[in-house]
Every structure is written in C-alpha cells, then in structure tokens.
Amino acid sequence: MGDLPIVRFEEKIVETVEQNPVVVVIGETGSGKSTQLPQILYRRGYAQSGIIAVTQPRRVAAVSVSRRVAQEQNVQIGEEVGYAIRFEDRTSEKTRIKYLTDGVLLRESLFNPELNQYSVIILDEAHERSLNTDILLGLMKRLIKWRHSNLKVLITSATLDGGKVSRFFSDCPVLTVPGELFPVEIVHISERPKNYVEASLKKAIDIHVREPEGDILIFLTGQDDIEKLVLKLEEKVQSLEEGSCMDALILPLHGSLPPEMQANPSECTGDFIYKLSVLLKVRVFSPPPPNCRRFIVSTNIAETSLTVDGVVYVIDPGYVKQRQYNPATGMYSLEVVQISKCKVALPVGKSSFLRMKRYFWGKSFPLVLRWSSSSKVDDFAVNTIFTPYGFSHRTLFGYLIDYFVLSAGKAAAGRAGRTRPGKCYRLYPSMVYRDDFLDATVPEIQRSSLAGTVLYLKSLDLADMDILKFDFLDSPSIESLEDALKQLYLVDAIDENGSITSIGRKMAELPLEPSLSRTLLEANELDCLSQALTVVSMLSAETTLLPAPGKRSEKKRKHTPPDLPDGFGLGDHIQLLQIYEQWYQTDYSIDWCKENNLQVRGMVFVRSVRKQLSQIMQKFSKGYSFWLWLIRCPNKQKRRDGQQEYRNLRKALCIGYANQLAERMIRHNGYRPLGFKSELVQVHPSSVLKSDEDGMLPNYVVYHELIVTSRPFMRNVCAVDMRWAAPILVKLEKLNVFKLSGGTSERDKQIQEVTSTMEKKEIAAIQSPEDRDSRIQAARERFLARKSQK
DNA sequence: GAGCACTGC
C-alpha cells in the first residue's frame, strides 16, 4: 500500500493529529483516506488506549471498507478489524479498528454519551452531510471539550468545505491529501434543452452511431422518465438501418424494479451477503453479448454501491429528485432539483482501482470501476453490490466508468488492460455549471422533519442544552425546530415546558420515528403490543414491500388485486398487520410472498426489525410477556370477530399519531390535518380505508405521511374514534410553542393558566356521556376558529 | 382514483 498518496503524508498527518484534538482531512478521490487513515493511526499507537472508530453513512460502506482493511491487515473480519451495522455486529474484544454506520454510533452515544471506548473517532464522508453525520458533528464539538486529553476527532471527506468545518471546530487545521484520477473528457452542450428526455435520447443515439464500443449510462430523475426513454430508445434503435451499427440492449434501472433474485430469509446472515453477490451477474451486471452496446437508463441509484461494468459514456442531464419537508404544512414532497457541484462527475481514483484489482482478481466478480460523485467512489467500489437482502438499488449519481476490461471473456478477446478515457456529456452549458449550480446539496437536516432528531438530543441530557441553539454546522430553521417540538409535545415526549418526559426517554431508545415509538409504548399499555410491533415494523419497510408498479402494458392486470386482506376497511395499518399475520401463518413462506406480489427482501427486513424492536420493548413491557413470545406469536388473538379485534391497536395508533391527526370536512371526503397550516388533503387512492353506506369516510383518521404529488395525499391512513381524538384537540388548542422552546413570560403564564382550566372543563365535558358528540363538535369548531384567526 | 430519488437506527 506504499503507493497510496495518503501514505506519503503519514508524518504530516500524525504530527497534526498529535498536536490537535480535531483535524479535518480533505482526501481527494483516489487518496485512500477511508482505508489508510485508521491504519496509519493504528500503526502509531492510537488504538492502545481505545478503539479507532470510523463512521460511514451507509451499511455497505462500513462492511466493505472494513473487509478490505481486515484483508490489508491480514486478519479475519471481527478480530482486530470489525464493523457494526444494524442487525449485525462483527466486532470482538480484540477489535481495534471499528467501522460503523453513523446511526450506530449515535445509538451508542445514547447509552454512553462520552463514548469512552473510543480513542479516535473518524467521521468519514462528512461531505455527504447526512442527517446523522450532521448530528455527530455537533456532538463531537461538545465531546471534545469533555475529553480534550484522550480523544482525537478526524473529519474526512472528499469535497467538504474545509474552511467552514475548521471554523466550526475553532479553526482546527485542515490537511489536504491529493488523489489520482483517471482521465475523463467532459463535454458541455451550449444550451440547456427544453426536454431532457428528448435530449438524452438524441445524445445516446448519437453516441451509438458515431462512437466506438462502450456502454452508455444515462441519468434520469425517476421511473416515469426512465420508462419513457426506454420505449423511445427501443423505437429509435429498431429504426436504424440494419448492420449500420452494433446491436443495442436497453436496460432500465431504478428502485421499484423487482429484485433480480430472492433470497431465503433464514440464510440472511453476513456471509450470505457474500454468497448473494456472486449471483448478481444479472441484468445490468452481466456483460453484454458480443458486438452489443448496453444503454443503462438509471436513476441515481448506484451513487455509492452499485456498479456497472463496461460504461464508457455518461449522459448527465443535471437533475435529481429530492425529498423535502415543509414544517408549516407537515407535508413531504419530491421535487426535481438541479444537482450541485459536489454531485457531478469525478472519476474513480487510481489507487482504489489497483486495490480492487488485487482484491477481485481471479474471483468470479465482474470488476467494476466506479466513477462517481465526489462522494467516494474510491473507497468502495469493491463491494459494490453486497447488501443484506438481495441487492439494493442505489443511485449512481456519480458515474460508473470502466477503463479496463477485466472479465474473463473480454480478456480472452485480447482487450484486457486497454485504457480509454471515459466521456461525460453534460446536458447543460458550462456557464450554468459555474454560475447556477449550488456548491453543495442542501444538507438533509434542512430538508427533514426533525422530531426524531430533537427527541434524540433531548434524551442525551446535555448540560445547558437549548435545542433551538444547538450548535449545528448548518442550522435548521427555527420553524423546523418548533415544528419538531410541537410534534413531540403532542405525542407526550416532552411536557409543556419542553422538558423530556419519561415516555420521551423510552421513545428515544427505540430506533423509530416518534409517532411509531409512541404507538408501541401505548400498545404496551393497551395489551396489543404484539400487533403494534408488527404494524410498526411493516411501516419501517413499507417502500420496499409493496408490489412493484407494473409497466404501462401490465396496467390492466394490476386491477385484479392479489388475494390480500383489506384491513376490514379500517385502514392501511390494519391491512399491514393482516398481511404479516398471514405470512406468519405460512411459516414465513417465500412462495407466499411471491404469489402475493410482496417483495421477499422487504418482508425479511420486517421480520428483523420486529425482532429488534421486540427485544427493546421487552425492557418496557409489563412483565407478562417474553420477547420470544412476542417474536413468535404475532397473532395473539384467537377471536376473529372483525372490527372489534383491532380497537385497542387503533387507539394506540391514535395516541402515537397525535401529531398526525386529520379531520374530515363536513360534506365531502377531503380532510384537514390538525396542527398544521390548514390545507385540504385526500386519502391516497391506494388506501384500503372504506367509506360508510352514505359514501362518507370516517370523521377522524391518523395518517403515516403527508405527501404532495399531483395533490396532497395522506398515505397509510387509519380510522380512529372521535373520543380518542378529543384529548388531542384539546392539547392542540393549548399549544404554546414559545414555552415548548424553553421560553417563559408573564403573558404566557397567564395564557397557560386560562387554558389549563379550560382543559379540565373540557375533559370533564367530554367524559360525561350525555351530549358528548355535540361538545366535541363545539371544541372542534373553537379550535378551527382559533386557527383561522392565526 | 394515483404513480414516489436514496440512505439509516
């Protein structure tokens, strides 16, 4: 490994780390920072007083980079070098270098805030600015004050603005390690096209007709555009004169494609992942037939882990879909935005390539070179495709480029080792790139709902903790933090002064969003924990679970629904429960999943989540339940009398989703989400929620998510009883965000007193049986009136 | 009566 650029900087690095508690290392692509930095510190004795931790934003990265380091150190994984990701801890007492996802480190920090077991913490890939990395940056800043003498923190990334991070850490030093890149020719077009699907089509055909062999990779924003382009490409290729150019193979690649293979869940262990990867030479992974060019039309699915062998040409329209949260309305939307400068093409580093070559040579892998976003290709291309439950589609926002041809077939053809610069066609002018593109993507922390994050920080009990003033590298907006406080208050995680409650503490221990953890705790009280565990686990995997949307031509077939339960019309949560229960009845049968068009990988994931949550809930359960029993008996009730059976579960959901309650309009089936800026929303058409004989939906529902597509929709909806909703309405009425955020004033105290007397009367009124509904209605109207005044 | 990029605990 002596040839790696970073090794030449060893003395400088060690010297700087020795003299400073925090160091920023900007390792350009190809520098080998993720693998070499911890090994350098290990060699220099930094692991003697503790473990060297290296965080990664993704599971695959943690696994693969650690495997490689273990190999370089010539040890078995799990010995001196190990990794820890959710569901899998491959470390032992011997472990000195530990790779872990940043989420895992956050959880460890929950139970051991000083992270005493670590002598060095390396936050790798910080430029990706994942929510978890950003929280860790803030925590490290505090931690370094407590543990000044015995902790070193390194922040490494490819393109992160070093000056900014350095200022954040009181002007800590910034080291820049150069990398070595493969040559790539970048071509900008002179004018931005109006229709980028058409422009991509034109460019792709152009390449196909004029350029020598080599696959083409085209990045589009979503499934719709991909399907469109695939159809058009097929048409166009057909119309080309026979024999005028090589054959074409057109392959779509996006997240809703069914997995190419389905795994036996009982075998899903770490090593199983390895076996899976061997089988992965399918679809885009298999080499093309001779004299054939592949067109891979992809979302940014493989940015970091999926790699494609043989790509020489990349077409980059410069757009991506991004999920955004609006704290005023509580709604998510997916918006097409321009990519940022740090997301455009950079070739894979040479050093990584050489390592990969050594690693893979002689094994039955397609060797792949990734040419990626600034994000890291270099560190990762090796593992590529391993992921626990089959292969995960990921985004290739960077680019995959293959300069060397290494598969056996191609080697036999005598072309091995030939190099050729890749070409990247950017469908935007260089001026647009220079002047218009943001330097970096808006960090996730400024685009997400922060309820979970705020609860996490509150539960750490940091001294002088004022959540509105927590020191983030980039602060989220006040609105977003206030929204989080409001949500936490509604689910009883914090009290009216903003202090964490005992419920809130338990919630923070569950790896779930607050509504779901609150649901579990309430279900425990209402004796329906087993059912709630199932629902919550199903929701955790929901997007990978449902049948993949069929192609346009298959649309009709989709209208005959598979033989799945309908939740008694009470809502999607109940349906999810019933689906899992049926699966359980079949003894977790794979065939059953396939018959019912459910993604096996998703169901297996649900099972793991459920097991993990059961173990955590065991701590809080009321004593009668053993977690084994929870795991094995998802279907507790023997009685099967329909609606009544799920009453407690729905009540628990209502209390858990107190921040996501919606009320139906009087005359139609539109709903108004309560507690947010008033907007009319619809139940998503995919819901199994049923209307009554008059065609009306339930008066109150809780929803899992508000998502704006063509219109605002509630996805995953559950009918709740008006009586359960009433206390929430009352709580909404006395909501005082100013107090929640820690502020107090005389005026607020007065308001507080008035509202709390009101509340007592209100509750008394609601609890008296006579005239209940009209009183609830009155409270509801007052609430709405008040809200419209605002 | 619609259609959703990707991670993570």
Side-chain angles (χ1 to χ4, degrees):
Chain A
M1 289 299 112
D3 53 347
L4 286 174
I6 196 165
V7 177
R8 297 197 295 269
F9 286 76
E10 177 161 343
E11 290 306 325
K12 179 75 186 158
I13 290 167
V14 172
E15 188 186 312
T16 315
V17 169
E18 193 50 46
Q19 289 163 6
N20 298 277
V22 184
V23 179
V24 175
V25 181
I26 308 292
E28 289 177 3
T29 310
S31 63
K33 61 191 160 46
S34 303
T35 52
Q36 299 310 307
L37 210 46
Q39 291 188 74
I40 290 174
L41 296 175
Y42 179 59
R43 274 203 293 279
R44 299 304 188 100
Y46 279 91
Q48 277 163 15
S49 58
I51 301 166
I52 298 173
V54 189
T55 71
Q56 294 289 331
R58 271 169 299 276
R59 299 161 55 97
V60 224
V63 177
S64 62
V65 180
S66 67
R67 279 188 191 279
R68 225 171 47 220
V69 171
Q71 199 198 23
E72 285 176 17
Q73 290 285 323
N74 208 13
V75 296
Q76 288 293 310
I77 195 81
E79 294 183 350
E80 283 80 358
V81 181
Y83 65 88
I85 58 177
R86 187 180 191 181
F87 307 136
E88 204 183 347
D89 185 347
R90 298 286 295 271
T91 60
S92 64
E93 284 180 3
K94 286 165 88 177
T95 303
R96 305 324 296 165
I97 299 176
K98 175 174 171 183
Y99 285 85
L100 67 180
T101 46
D102 42 22
V104 169
L105 187 62
L106 280 177
R107 295 219 78 75
E108 289 185 357
S109 145
L110 193 61
F111 302 103
N112 177 5
E114 296 195 9
L115 295 170
N116 287 317
Q117 67 272 41
Y118 301 117
S119 54
V120 178
I121 296 175
I122 301 175
L123 302 186
D124 200 10
E125 312 306 345
H127 62 281
E128 289 194 18
R129 302 300 306 277
S130 79
L131 184 55
N132 287 340
T133 309
D134 271 18
I135 301 169
L136 280 173
L137 283 170
L139 289 180
M140 288 304 126
K141 186 168 175 175
R142 301 180 66 101
L143 193 57
I144 207 72
K145 285 180 197 153
W146 303 341
R147 292 190 48 196
H148 194 91
S149 59
N150 64 355
L151 176 69
K152 298 292 181 187
V153 173
L154 283 83
I155 292 131
T156 88
S157 93
T159 54
L160 190 70
D161 179 349
K164 183 175 176 181
V165 185
S166 164
R167 281 191 297 282
F168 182 71
F169 284 102
S170 341
D171 295 315
C172 70
V174 180
L175 293 176
T176 303
V177 182
E180 286 175 75
L181 304 177
F182 287 100
V184 171
E185 186 185 337
I186 292 173
V187 185
H188 285 272
I189 65 168
S190 58
E191 209 180 317
R192 197 152 208 176
K194 285 200 184 70
N195 180 335
Y196 82 111
V197 176
E198 285 296 334
S200 309
L201 173 72
K202 195 163 162 286
K203 180 51 75 185
I205 294 298
D206 202 47
I207 296 169
H208 186 49
V209 175
R210 290 169 207 276
E211 299 277 352
E213 59 167 14
D215 296 339
I216 305 172
L217 177 63
I218 307 162
F219 288 107
L220 299 185
T221 59
Q223 182 180 355
D224 244 29
D225 287 344
I226 289 174
E227 286 174 4
K228 256 187 238 162
L229 182 57
V230 166
L231 283 180
K232 287 185 178 176
L233 273 171
E234 275 166 0
E235 247 170 56
K236 247 322 200 274
V237 164
Q238 300 269 314
S239 72
L240 291 173
E241 202 180 316
E242 206 164 323
S244 65
C245 48
M246 65 184 88
D247 292 341
L249 185 61
I250 298 154
L251 301 160
L253 180 61
H254 55 80
S256 346
L257 285 173
E260 268 62 38
M261 31 167 252
Q262 314 237 317
N264 182 342
S266 64
E267 289 179 50
C268 263
T269 64
D271 285 333
F272 182 60
I273 297 168
Y274 188 81
K275 286 183 221 150
L276 283 184
S277 62
V278 179
L279 298 170
L280 276 170
K281 294 205 283 181
V282 282
R283 280 186 88 89
V284 292
F285 303 106
S286 52
N291 194 32
C292 179
R293 190 199 301 276
R294 290 180 303 176
F295 294 73
I296 298 143
V297 189
S298 171
T299 60
N300 17 348
I301 210 168
E303 171 163 56
T304 43
S305 62
L306 184 78
T307 55
V308 183
D309 183 20
V311 172
V312 174
Y313 309 98
V314 173
I315 299 174
D316 171 24
Y319 292 103
V320 64
K321 270 187 187 162
Q322 208 171 61
R323 193 176 152 101
Q324 236 125 16
Y325 177 72
N326 180 344
T329 56
M331 293 181 186
Y332 283 96
S333 55
L334 266 179
E335 278 158 38
V336 175
V337 299
Q338 204 161 257
I339 60 175
S340 64
K341 279 179 193 158
C342 82
K343 285 282 190 181
V344 299
L346 276 179
V348 64
K350 272 188 184 169
S351 58
S352 305
F353 174 70
L354 295 173
R355 277 201 308 276
M356 280 162 22
K357 191 168 151 185
R358 275 197 284 273
Y359 187 76
F360 275 104
W361 199 255
K363 301 188 184 176
S364 61
F365 281 79
L367 179 56
V368 173
L369 255 202
R370 205 160 65 120
W371 191 38
S372 151
S373 71
S374 54
S375 52
K376 82 162 89 8
V377 202
D378 61 305
D379 287 322
F380 208 164
V382 201
N383 353 261
T384 80
I385 326 173
F386 315 165
T387 188
Y389 311 107
F391 100 74
S392 124
H393 302 268
R394 268 158 238 241
T395 327
L396 245 240
F397 208 156
Y399 301 117
L400 318 184
I401 268 218
D402 175 337
Y403 293 92
F404 295 79
V405 187
L406 290 179
S407 71
K410 288 179 182 173
R415 292 182 276 131
R418 195 174 75 180
T419 66
R420 172 146 50 99
K423 269 191 185 177
C424 175
Y425 298 91
R426 295 180 174 171
L427 300 186
Y428 41 85
S430 53
M431 293 272 282
V432 168
Y433 170 76
R434 204 184 59 205
D435 303 334
D436 259 23
F437 277 27
L438 294 175
D439 287 331
T441 308
V442 179
E444 204 185 345
I445 199 161
Q446 297 180 333
R447 296 187 278 120
S448 323
S449 168
L450 296 180
T453 305
V454 169
L455 179 61
Y456 173 83
L457 290 174
K458 291 244 175 207
S459 74
L460 290 180
D461 282 326
L462 303 174
D464 66 287
M465 179 63 188
D466 177 352
I467 189 63
L468 294 187
K469 296 191 186 117
F470 185 80
D471 206 352
F472 290 109
L473 182 56
D474 282 304
S475 286
S477 66
I478 296 288
E479 291 74 38
S480 181
L481 288 168
E482 285 181 349
D483 165 63
L485 291 169
K486 188 184 72 187
Q487 294 194 45
L488 292 175
Y489 172 66
L490 289 171
V491 297
D492 313 309
I494 58 175
D495 63 20
E496 67 273 10
N497 301 312
S499 310
I500 189 164
T501 61
S502 58
I503 291 179
R505 276 181 203 287
K506 291 178 183 168
M507 285 167 62
E509 286 192 39
L510 290 156
L512 291 168
E513 53 190 89
S515 329
L516 298 182
S517 51
R518 181 70 183 92
T519 300
L520 284 190
L521 293 175
E522 191 61 27
N524 189 32
E525 299 299 317
L526 296 171
D527 292 331
C528 53
L529 179 56
S530 178
Q531 293 178 336
L533 280 166
T534 305
V535 173
V536 159
S537 309
M538 288 289 278
L539 284 168
S540 299
E542 200 253 337
T543 49
T544 48
L545 202 63
L546 299 177
K551 283 183 188 159
R552 284 185 167 69
S553 55
E554 294 174 77
K555 245 187 177 168
K556 280 215 165 151
R557 207 158 49 113
K558 263 194 69 201
H559 278 284
T560 47
D563 189 21
L564 284 176
D566 66 351
F568 293 119
L570 289 169
D572 308 292
H573 297 78
I574 306 297
Q575 186 197 29
L576 290 174
L577 170 63
Q578 291 173 326
I579 290 174
Y580 190 87
E581 284 179 349
Q582 277 199 14
W583 189 45
Y584 171 76
Q585 301 291 346
T586 67
D587 199 19
Y588 305 114
S589 149
I590 306 244
D591 290 335
W592 183 85
C593 291
K594 287 180 186 160
E595 279 160 28
N596 288 285
N597 220 1
L598 294 164
Q599 300 229 359
V600 179
R601 169 169 58 113
M603 293 301 284
V604 172
F605 177 76
V606 173
R607 200 178 162 189
S608 316
V609 174
R610 196 177 183 286
K611 183 175 164 193
Q612 186 193 27
L613 295 176
S614 307
Q615 284 165 329
I616 300 172
M617 281 306 291
Q618 185 196 12
K619 233 165 71 178
F620 307 136
S621 66
K622 293 192 295 184
Y624 58 81
S625 48
F626 304 96
W627 70 268
L628 270 176
W629 171 83
L630 284 174
I631 291 172
R632 290 186 185 147
C633 308
N635 189 10
K636 179 190 157 196
Q637 261 111 341
K638 289 180 189 110
R639 204 155 47 86
R640 282 230 154 249
D641 58 355
Q643 306 213 347
Q644 198 56 31
E645 184 177 346
Y646 298 110
R647 215 175 150 73
N648 280 354
L649 175 63
R650 287 192 297 124
K651 188 171 180 189
L653 284 166
C654 180
I655 298 196
Y657 282 113
N659 55 336
Q660 282 150 242
L661 174 68
E663 176 187 62
R664 185 170 60 74
M665 301 287 99
I666 310 250
R667 286 192 176 70
H668 58 94
N669 278 336
Y671 282 81
R672 193 196 297 274
L674 302 179
F676 290 106
K677 206 176 93 212
S678 199
E679 278 205 45
L680 196 64
V681 302
Q682 307 290 331
V683 175
H684 196 275
S686 65
S687 175
V688 294
L689 189 71
K690 276 209 189 83
S691 47
D692 60 18
E693 54 278 8
D694 298 325
M696 299 315 272
L697 292 168
N699 286 335
Y700 287 92
V701 295
V702 288
Y703 56 86
H704 182 66
E705 183 180 53
L706 279 181
I707 178 136
V708 185
T709 48
S710 57
R711 283 186 290 165
F713 289 107
M714 296 182 286
R715 279 183 72 240
N716 288 318
V717 178
C718 176
V720 298
D721 198 292
M722 197 186 260
R723 277 159 299 181
W724 309 332
I728 302 170
L729 295 182
V730 173
K731 230 176 160 184
L732 276 165
E733 206 170 336
K734 69 165 193 175
L735 194 68
N736 179 342
V737 177
F738 183 70
K739 265 196 99 181
L740 289 180
S741 57
T744 47
S745 74
E746 273 313 301
R747 202 183 134 270
D748 282 303
K749 262 187 208 159
Q750 285 167 10
I751 293 173
Q752 185 62 34
E753 277 159 25
V754 175
T755 48
S756 63
T757 13
M758 271 174 60
E759 183 202 9
K760 277 173 206 154
K761 283 185 195 160
E762 210 81 73
I763 289 175
I766 287 162
Q767 282 166 353
S768 76
E770 62 282 318
D771 207 21
R772 181 189 284 144
D773 287 0
S774 70
R775 277 160 190 272
I776 292 173
Q777 183 64 32
R780 184 165 121 179
E781 273 160 18
R782 263 201 313 286
F783 168 74
L784 292 175
R786 235 179 81 135
K787 207 164 56 173
S788 59
Q789 274 168 22
K790 285 176 197 167

